[in-house]
Amino acid sequence: MVWPDRFTDLQIRKVLRWLHDIMEKMGGEVPTENEMKQFVWDLLNAGQIVPGFGHAVLRITDPRYIIQREFAQKHMNEDPIFKYVDILYKVVPPILIDRVRPKIPGPMLMPFRGDSMALWSYGI
């Protein structure tokens, strides 16, 4: 495995912390899509961002993310972190298209890497 550079590592940790904070705010319960939509809208309306979505260069969802998402669906489908990421994947892009019209609103690879979620899930 190629270890990420410092910038990438920082982004991974930032998004994992953000996911952990969301989980705490929601009492550890996996939210419905509507609850997550409301959370994301509240976040954006407060002037904050949804880290890990949108890409400066790619005009499609990062293909590396798609591959790792498929892995997580197969091997980590019941993991709470993956459940949050899965819901975010479903609700955030349409909201971003409606709100800020990014060139590509899909998730980038680094913040939602399957290996990062696995390490976090196993306490590593």
Side-chain angles (χ1 to χ4, degrees):
M1 175 180 178
V2 176
W3 289 100
D5 59 33
R6 286 185 192 164
F7 174 76
T8 302
D9 183 52
L10 177 63
Q11 296 305 311
I12 292 168
R13 286 184 288 151
K14 180 179 178 180
V15 174
L16 285 173
R17 269 193 231 115
W18 183 77
L19 286 168
H20 187 266
D21 290 346
I22 292 173
M23 291 172 73
E24 282 185 0
K25 287 177 184 174
M26 297 190 170
E29 299 295 322
V30 177
T32 65
E33 286 187 25
N34 285 335
E35 290 170 333
M36 186 61 84
K37 283 179 188 176
Q38 186 60 52
F39 177 83
V40 171
W41 273 112
D42 291 347
L43 190 74
L44 294 172
N45 287 334
Q48 299 177 356
I49 64 164
V50 180
F53 284 83
H55 196 285
V57 176
L58 293 176
R59 300 298 177 249
I60 59 173
T61 297
D62 191 328
R64 299 168 297 176
Y65 169 79
I66 298 297
I67 291 167
Q68 294 208 359
R69 175 178 169 71
E70 290 169 359
F71 175 86
Q73 285 174 315
K74 184 175 181 181
H75 300 287
M76 301 173 63
N77 199 34
E78 294 303 314
D79 182 84
I81 294 173
F82 176 72
K83 288 182 178 184
Y84 274 76
V85 170
D86 186 50
I87 293 170
L88 287 165
Y89 176 75
K90 293 172 184 173
V91 304
V92 170
I95 292 172
L96 291 181
I97 288 170
D98 186 49
R99 171 84 180 211
V100 296
R101 309 226 185 277
K103 291 182 180 176
I104 178 61
M108 298 178 290
L109 167 72
M110 295 307 158
F112 301 111
R113 287 171 51 152
D115 57 343
S116 300
M117 288 188 296
L119 292 173
W120 184 277
S121 295
Y122 292 111
I124 298 173

CSV table of all heavy atoms in Angstrom, one decimal, residues 8-48:
chain,number,residue,atom,x,y,z
A,8,THR,N,-2.9,14.6,2.2
A,8,THR,CA,-4.0,13.6,2.1
A,8,THR,C,-4.3,13.0,3.5
A,8,THR,O,-5.5,12.8,3.8
A,8,THR,CB,-3.5,12.5,1.1
A,8,THR,OG1,-3.2,13.1,-0.1
A,8,THR,CG2,-4.6,11.4,0.9
A,9,ASP,N,-3.3,12.7,4.2
A,9,ASP,CA,-3.5,12.1,5.6
A,9,ASP,C,-4.3,13.1,6.4
A,9,ASP,O,-5.2,12.7,7.1
A,9,ASP,CB,-2.1,11.8,6.2
A,9,ASP,CG,-2.3,11.2,7.6
A,9,ASP,OD1,-3.0,10.2,7.7
A,9,ASP,OD2,-1.7,11.7,8.5
A,10,LEU,N,-4.0,14.4,6.3
A,10,LEU,CA,-4.8,15.4,7.1
A,10,LEU,C,-6.2,15.4,6.6
A,10,LEU,O,-7.1,15.4,7.5
A,10,LEU,CB,-4.1,16.7,6.9
A,10,LEU,CG,-4.9,17.9,7.6
A,10,LEU,CD1,-4.8,17.7,9.1
A,10,LEU,CD2,-4.2,19.2,7.2
A,11,GLN,N,-6.5,15.3,5.3
A,11,GLN,CA,-7.8,15.3,4.8
A,11,GLN,C,-8.6,14.0,5.3
A,11,GLN,O,-9.8,14.1,5.7
A,11,GLN,CB,-7.8,15.4,3.3
A,11,GLN,CG,-7.3,16.6,2.7
A,11,GLN,CD,-7.9,17.9,3.3
A,11,GLN,OE1,-9.2,18.0,3.3
A,11,GLN,NE2,-7.2,18.8,3.8
A,12,ILE,N,-7.9,12.9,5.3
A,12,ILE,CA,-8.6,11.7,5.8
A,12,ILE,C,-9.0,11.8,7.2
A,12,ILE,O,-10.1,11.5,7.6
A,12,ILE,CB,-7.6,10.5,5.6
A,12,ILE,CG1,-7.4,10.2,4.1
A,12,ILE,CG2,-8.2,9.2,6.3
A,12,ILE,CD1,-6.3,9.2,3.8
A,13,ARG,N,-8.0,12.3,8.0
A,13,ARG,CA,-8.3,12.4,9.5
A,13,ARG,C,-9.4,13.5,9.7
A,13,ARG,O,-10.3,13.3,10.6
A,13,ARG,CB,-7.0,12.8,10.2
A,13,ARG,CG,-6.1,11.6,10.4
A,13,ARG,CD,-4.9,12.0,11.2
A,13,ARG,NE,-4.0,12.9,10.4
A,13,ARG,CZ,-3.2,13.8,10.9
A,13,ARG,NH1,-3.2,13.9,12.2
A,13,ARG,NH2,-2.5,14.5,10.2
A,14,LYS,N,-9.4,14.6,8.9
A,14,LYS,CA,-10.4,15.6,9.1
A,14,LYS,C,-11.8,15.0,8.8
A,14,LYS,O,-12.7,15.3,9.6
A,14,LYS,CB,-10.1,16.7,8.1
A,14,LYS,CG,-11.1,17.9,8.2
A,14,LYS,CD,-10.6,19.0,7.2
A,14,LYS,CE,-11.6,20.1,7.2
A,14,LYS,NZ,-11.2,21.2,6.2
A,15,VAL,N,-11.9,14.3,7.7
A,15,VAL,CA,-13.3,13.7,7.4
A,15,VAL,C,-13.7,12.7,8.4
A,15,VAL,O,-14.9,12.6,8.8
A,15,VAL,CB,-13.3,13.2,5.9
A,15,VAL,CG1,-14.6,12.6,5.6
A,15,VAL,CG2,-13.1,14.4,5.0
A,16,LEU,N,-12.8,11.8,8.8
A,16,LEU,CA,-13.1,10.8,9.8
A,16,LEU,C,-13.6,11.5,11.1
A,16,LEU,O,-14.5,11.0,11.7
A,16,LEU,CB,-12.0,9.8,10.0
A,16,LEU,CG,-11.7,8.8,8.9
A,16,LEU,CD1,-10.4,8.0,9.2
A,16,LEU,CD2,-12.9,7.9,8.8
A,17,ARG,N,-12.9,12.5,11.5
A,17,ARG,CA,-13.3,13.3,12.7
A,17,ARG,C,-14.7,13.9,12.5
A,17,ARG,O,-15.6,13.9,13.4
A,17,ARG,CB,-12.3,14.4,13.1
A,17,ARG,CG,-11.3,13.9,14.0
A,17,ARG,CD,-10.5,15.1,14.6
A,17,ARG,NE,-9.1,14.8,14.4
A,17,ARG,CZ,-8.3,15.4,13.6
A,17,ARG,NH1,-8.7,16.5,13.0
A,17,ARG,NH2,-7.0,15.1,13.4
A,18,TRP,N,-14.9,14.4,11.3
A,18,TRP,CA,-16.2,15.0,11.0
A,18,TRP,C,-17.3,13.9,11.0
A,18,TRP,O,-18.4,14.2,11.6
A,18,TRP,CB,-16.1,15.6,9.6
A,18,TRP,CG,-17.4,16.3,9.1
A,18,TRP,CD1,-17.8,17.6,9.6
A,18,TRP,CD2,-18.3,15.9,8.2
A,18,TRP,NE1,-19.0,17.9,8.9
A,18,TRP,CE2,-19.3,16.9,8.1
A,18,TRP,CE3,-18.5,14.7,7.4
A,18,TRP,CZ2,-20.4,16.7,7.2
A,18,TRP,CZ3,-19.5,14.6,6.6
A,18,TRP,CH2,-20.5,15.6,6.5
A,19,LEU,N,-17.1,12.8,10.5
A,19,LEU,CA,-18.0,11.7,10.5
A,19,LEU,C,-18.3,11.3,12.0
A,19,LEU,O,-19.4,11.0,12.4
A,19,LEU,CB,-17.5,10.4,9.7
A,19,LEU,CG,-17.6,10.5,8.2
A,19,LEU,CD1,-16.8,9.4,7.6
A,19,LEU,CD2,-19.0,10.5,7.7
A,20,HIS,N,-17.2,11.2,12.8
A,20,HIS,CA,-17.4,10.8,14.2
A,20,HIS,C,-18.2,11.9,14.9
A,20,HIS,O,-19.1,11.5,15.7
A,20,HIS,CB,-16.0,10.7,14.8
A,20,HIS,CG,-16.1,10.2,16.2
A,20,HIS,ND1,-16.1,11.0,17.3
A,20,HIS,CD2,-16.1,8.9,16.7
A,20,HIS,CE1,-16.2,10.3,18.4
A,20,HIS,NE2,-16.2,9.0,18.1
A,21,ASP,N,-18.0,13.1,14.6
A,21,ASP,CA,-18.8,14.2,15.2
A,21,ASP,C,-20.3,14.1,14.8
A,21,ASP,O,-21.2,14.3,15.6
A,21,ASP,CB,-18.3,15.6,14.8
A,21,ASP,CG,-16.9,15.9,15.4
A,21,ASP,OD1,-16.5,15.2,16.4
A,21,ASP,OD2,-16.3,16.9,15.0
A,22,ILE,N,-20.6,13.8,13.5
A,22,ILE,CA,-21.9,13.6,13.1
A,22,ILE,C,-22.6,12.5,13.9
A,22,ILE,O,-23.7,12.6,14.4
A,22,ILE,CB,-22.0,13.3,11.6
A,22,ILE,CG1,-21.6,14.5,10.8
A,22,ILE,CG2,-23.4,12.9,11.2
A,22,ILE,CD1,-21.5,14.2,9.3
A,23,MET,N,-21.8,11.4,14.0
A,23,MET,CA,-22.4,10.2,14.7
A,23,MET,C,-22.7,10.6,16.2
A,23,MET,O,-23.8,10.2,16.7
A,23,MET,CB,-21.4,9.1,14.7
A,23,MET,CG,-21.3,8.5,13.3
A,23,MET,SD,-19.9,7.3,13.2
A,23,MET,CE,-20.7,5.9,14.0
A,24,GLU,N,-21.9,11.4,16.8
A,24,GLU,CA,-22.1,11.8,18.2
A,24,GLU,C,-23.4,12.7,18.2
A,24,GLU,O,-24.2,12.6,19.1
A,24,GLU,CB,-20.9,12.6,18.8
A,24,GLU,CG,-19.8,11.6,19.2
A,24,GLU,CD,-18.7,12.4,19.9
A,24,GLU,OE1,-18.7,13.6,20.0
A,24,GLU,OE2,-17.7,11.7,20.3
A,25,LYS,N,-23.5,13.7,17.3
A,25,LYS,CA,-24.6,14.6,17.3
A,25,LYS,C,-25.9,13.9,17.1
A,25,LYS,O,-27.0,14.3,17.5
A,25,LYS,CB,-24.4,15.6,16.2
A,25,LYS,CG,-23.4,16.7,16.5
A,25,LYS,CD,-23.2,17.6,15.3
A,25,LYS,CE,-22.1,18.6,15.6
A,25,LYS,NZ,-21.8,19.5,14.5
A,26,MET,N,-25.9,12.7,16.4
A,26,MET,CA,-27.1,12.0,16.1
A,26,MET,C,-27.2,10.8,17.1
A,26,MET,O,-28.0,9.9,16.8
A,26,MET,CB,-27.1,11.5,14.7
A,26,MET,CG,-27.1,12.6,13.7
A,26,MET,SD,-27.4,12.1,12.0
A,26,MET,CE,-27.7,13.6,11.2
A,27,GLY,N,-26.5,10.9,18.2
A,27,GLY,CA,-26.6,9.9,19.2
A,27,GLY,C,-26.2,8.5,18.9
A,27,GLY,O,-26.6,7.5,19.5
A,28,GLY,N,-25.4,8.4,17.9
A,28,GLY,CA,-24.9,7.1,17.4
A,28,GLY,C,-25.9,6.3,16.6
A,28,GLY,O,-25.6,5.2,16.1
A,29,GLU,N,-27.0,6.8,16.4
A,29,GLU,CA,-28.1,6.2,15.6
A,29,GLU,C,-27.8,6.5,14.1
A,29,GLU,O,-27.5,7.7,13.8
A,29,GLU,CB,-29.5,6.6,16.0
A,29,GLU,CG,-29.8,6.3,17.4
A,29,GLU,CD,-29.9,4.8,17.7
A,29,GLU,OE1,-30.4,4.0,16.8
A,29,GLU,OE2,-29.4,4.3,18.8
A,30,VAL,N,-28.1,5.5,13.2
A,30,VAL,CA,-27.9,5.8,11.8
A,30,VAL,C,-29.2,6.6,11.4
A,30,VAL,O,-30.3,6.1,11.6
A,30,VAL,CB,-27.8,4.5,11.0
A,30,VAL,CG1,-27.8,4.8,9.5
A,30,VAL,CG2,-26.6,3.7,11.5
A,31,PRO,N,-29.0,7.8,10.8
A,31,PRO,CA,-30.1,8.6,10.5
A,31,PRO,C,-30.8,8.1,9.2
A,31,PRO,O,-30.3,7.4,8.4
A,31,PRO,CB,-29.5,10.0,10.2
A,31,PRO,CG,-28.1,9.7,9.7
A,31,PRO,CD,-27.7,8.4,10.5
A,32,THR,N,-32.1,8.5,9.0
A,32,THR,CA,-32.7,8.3,7.8
A,32,THR,C,-32.2,9.2,6.7
A,32,THR,O,-31.5,10.2,7.1
A,32,THR,CB,-34.3,8.5,7.9
A,32,THR,OG1,-34.5,9.9,8.1
A,32,THR,CG2,-34.9,7.7,9.0
A,33,GLU,N,-32.5,9.0,5.5
A,33,GLU,CA,-32.0,9.9,4.4
A,33,GLU,C,-32.6,11.3,4.7
A,33,GLU,O,-31.9,12.3,4.5
A,33,GLU,CB,-32.4,9.4,3.0
A,33,GLU,CG,-31.5,8.2,2.6
A,33,GLU,CD,-31.8,7.8,1.2
A,33,GLU,OE1,-32.2,8.6,0.4
A,33,GLU,OE2,-31.5,6.6,0.9
A,34,ASN,N,-33.8,11.4,5.1
A,34,ASN,CA,-34.4,12.7,5.3
A,34,ASN,C,-33.8,13.5,6.5
A,34,ASN,O,-33.5,14.7,6.4
A,34,ASN,CB,-35.9,12.6,5.6
A,34,ASN,CG,-36.7,12.4,4.3
A,34,ASN,OD1,-36.3,12.7,3.2
A,34,ASN,ND2,-37.9,11.8,4.4
A,35,GLU,N,-33.4,12.7,7.5
A,35,GLU,CA,-32.7,13.3,8.7
A,35,GLU,C,-31.3,13.8,8.2
A,35,GLU,O,-30.9,14.9,8.6
A,35,GLU,CB,-32.6,12.4,9.8
A,35,GLU,CG,-33.9,12.0,10.5
A,35,GLU,CD,-33.8,10.9,11.5
A,35,GLU,OE1,-32.9,10.0,11.3
A,35,GLU,OE2,-34.6,10.8,12.4
A,36,MET,N,-30.6,13.1,7.4
A,36,MET,CA,-29.3,13.5,6.9
A,36,MET,C,-29.4,14.7,6.0
A,36,MET,O,-28.6,15.6,6.0
A,36,MET,CB,-28.6,12.3,6.2
A,36,MET,CG,-27.2,12.6,5.9
A,36,MET,SD,-26.1,13.1,7.3
A,36,MET,CE,-25.6,11.4,7.8
A,37,LYS,N,-30.5,14.7,5.1
A,37,LYS,CA,-30.7,15.8,4.2
A,37,LYS,C,-30.8,17.1,5.1
A,37,LYS,O,-30.2,18.1,4.8
A,37,LYS,CB,-31.9,15.6,3.4
A,37,LYS,CG,-31.7,14.7,2.2
A,37,LYS,CD,-33.0,14.6,1.4
A,37,LYS,CE,-32.9,13.5,0.4
A,37,LYS,NZ,-34.2,13.3,-0.3
A,38,GLN,N,-31.7,17.0,6.1
A,38,GLN,CA,-31.9,18.2,7.0
A,38,GLN,C,-30.6,18.6,7.6
A,38,GLN,O,-30.3,19.8,7.7
A,38,GLN,CB,-32.9,17.9,8.0
A,38,GLN,CG,-33.3,19.1,8.8
A,38,GLN,CD,-33.9,20.2,8.0
A,38,GLN,OE1,-34.8,20.1,7.2
A,38,GLN,NE2,-33.3,21.4,8.1
A,39,PHE,N,-29.8,17.6,8.1
A,39,PHE,CA,-28.5,17.9,8.7
A,39,PHE,C,-27.6,18.7,7.8
A,39,PHE,O,-27.0,19.7,8.1
A,39,PHE,CB,-27.8,16.6,9.3
A,39,PHE,CG,-26.5,16.9,9.8
A,39,PHE,CD1,-26.4,17.3,11.1
A,39,PHE,CD2,-25.4,16.7,9.1
A,39,PHE,CE1,-25.1,17.5,11.7
A,39,PHE,CE2,-24.1,16.9,9.6
A,39,PHE,CZ,-24.0,17.3,10.9
A,40,VAL,N,-27.5,18.2,6.5
A,40,VAL,CA,-26.6,18.8,5.5
A,40,VAL,C,-27.1,20.2,5.2
A,40,VAL,O,-26.3,21.1,5.1
A,40,VAL,CB,-26.5,17.9,4.3
A,40,VAL,CG1,-25.8,18.6,3.1
A,40,VAL,CG2,-25.8,16.5,4.6
A,41,TRP,N,-28.4,20.3,5.0
A,41,TRP,CA,-28.9,21.7,4.7
A,41,TRP,C,-28.6,22.6,5.9
A,41,TRP,O,-28.2,23.8,5.6
A,41,TRP,CB,-30.4,21.6,4.4
A,41,TRP,CG,-30.8,21.3,3.0
A,41,TRP,CD1,-31.3,20.2,2.5
A,41,TRP,CD2,-30.5,22.2,1.9
A,41,TRP,NE1,-31.5,20.3,1.1
A,41,TRP,CE2,-31.0,21.5,0.7
A,41,TRP,CE3,-29.9,23.5,1.7
A,41,TRP,CZ2,-30.8,22.1,-0.6
A,41,TRP,CZ3,-29.8,24.0,0.5
A,41,TRP,CH2,-30.3,23.3,-0.7
A,42,ASP,N,-28.8,22.2,7.1
A,42,ASP,CA,-28.5,23.0,8.2
A,42,ASP,C,-27.0,23.4,8.3
A,42,ASP,O,-26.7,24.6,8.5
A,42,ASP,CB,-28.9,22.3,9.6
A,42,ASP,CG,-30.4,22.2,9.7
A,42,ASP,OD1,-31.2,22.8,9.0
A,42,ASP,OD2,-30.8,21.4,10.6
A,43,LEU,N,-26.2,22.5,7.9
A,43,LEU,CA,-24.7,22.7,7.9
A,43,LEU,C,-24.4,23.8,6.8
A,43,LEU,O,-23.7,24.7,7.1
A,43,LEU,CB,-24.0,21.4,7.5
A,43,LEU,CG,-22.5,21.3,7.7
A,43,LEU,CD1,-22.1,21.2,9.1
A,43,LEU,CD2,-22.1,20.0,6.9
A,44,LEU,N,-24.9,23.6,5.7
A,44,LEU,CA,-24.7,24.5,4.6
A,44,LEU,C,-25.2,25.9,4.9
A,44,LEU,O,-24.6,26.9,4.6
A,44,LEU,CB,-25.2,24.0,3.2
A,44,LEU,CG,-24.5,22.8,2.7
A,44,LEU,CD1,-25.3,22.2,1.5
A,44,LEU,CD2,-23.1,23.0,2.4
A,45,ASN,N,-26.4,25.9,5.4
A,45,ASN,CA,-27.1,27.2,5.8
A,45,ASN,C,-26.3,28.0,6.9
A,45,ASN,O,-26.4,29.2,7.0
A,45,ASN,CB,-28.5,27.0,6.2
A,45,ASN,CG,-29.4,26.7,5.0
A,45,ASN,OD1,-29.1,27.0,3.8
A,45,ASN,ND2,-30.5,25.9,5.2
A,46,ALA,N,-25.6,27.2,7.7
A,46,ALA,CA,-24.7,27.8,8.7
A,46,ALA,C,-23.4,28.3,8.2
A,46,ALA,O,-22.5,28.7,8.9
A,46,ALA,CB,-24.5,26.8,9.9
A,47,GLY,N,-23.2,28.1,6.9
A,47,GLY,CA,-21.9,28.6,6.2
A,47,GLY,C,-20.8,27.6,6.3
A,47,GLY,O,-19.7,27.9,6.0
A,48,GLN,N,-21.1,26.3,6.7
A,48,GLN,CA,-20.1,25.3,6.7
A,48,GLN,C,-20.1,24.5,5.5
A,48,GLN,O,-20.9,24.7,4.6
A,48,GLN,CB,-20.3,24.4,8.0
A,48,GLN,CG,-20.3,25.2,9.3
A,48,GLN,CD,-20.6,24.3,10.5
A,48,GLN,OE1,-20.9,23.2,10.3
A,48,GLN,NE2,-20.5,24.9,11.6
